[in-house]
């Protein structure tokens, strides 16, 4: 899982880059074990929302891509505000980023889950 996150985010291409995975309190330990803290900072979604983190973590001049299908307009504005506080900018990314890095992804199952009697 960590490898897919790494390729998707291209984290580590330049010195000084930071990346974070935001989770609620139920998944903090699991995220650290499955993703690895050497690549990502594990942050609490409620205590330190992504927009606040961006305001302190984004490097000046950085362009931060986001999938417009995954965020509400209100959340995009909060993220944009955080990026701008850091001197960075926000840009929508066309297409699904996971599809770009996982070209041979298995097809989705044709049937739903099994029903029990």
């Amino acid at each position: 899982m960590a490898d897919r996150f790494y390729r998707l985010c291209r984290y580590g291409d330049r010195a000084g880059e930071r990346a974070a995975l935001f989770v609620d309190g139920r998944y903090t330990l699991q995220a650290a074990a499955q993703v690895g803290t050497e690549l990502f900072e594990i942050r609490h979604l409620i205590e330190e929302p992504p927009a606040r983190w961006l305001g302190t973590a984004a490097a000046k001049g950085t362009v931060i891509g986001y999938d417009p299908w995954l965020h509400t307009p209100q959340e995009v504005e909060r993220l944009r505000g955080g990026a701008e506080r850091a001197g960075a900018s926000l840009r929508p990314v066309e297409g699904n980023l996971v599809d770009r890095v996982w070209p041979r992804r298995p097809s989705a199952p044709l049937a739903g889950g099994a029903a029990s009697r």
Side-chain angles (χ1 to χ4, degrees):
M1 184 175 189
D3 183 54
R4 278 188 271 176
F5 272 125
Y6 180 87
R7 286 185 286 147
L8 178 64
C9 300
R10 293 183 46 191
Y11 174 71
D13 282 356
R14 294 186 304 256
E17 287 185 339
R18 294 173 64 188
L21 176 63
F22 293 87
V23 297
D24 67 27
R26 298 172 294 171
Y27 302 105
T28 304
L29 297 176
Q30 179 181 352
Q34 288 187 305
V35 174
T37 55
E38 68 279 358
L39 296 177
F40 292 89
E41 300 173 26
I42 309 301
R43 298 294 182 178
H44 194 284
L45 182 63
I46 305 304
E47 294 173 2
E48 185 181 19
R52 187 184 319 158
W53 182 84
L54 277 177
T56 61
K60 186 175 182 176
T62 299
V63 177
I64 300 162
Y66 71 95
D67 186 336
W69 290 97
L70 301 178
H71 301 278
T72 66
Q74 296 81 8
E75 181 62 15
V76 170
E77 286 310 308
R78 284 190 289 270
L79 293 170
R80 186 179 318 286
E84 289 174 353
R85 280 191 299 281
S89 61
L90 209 58
R91 180 182 303 159
V93 175
E94 292 185 27
N96 184 295
L97 296 175
V98 173
D99 290 343
R100 289 186 192 179
V101 299
W102 196 4
R104 293 186 191 98
R105 184 167 72 184
S107 298
L110 297 176
S116 62
R117 293 181 187 213

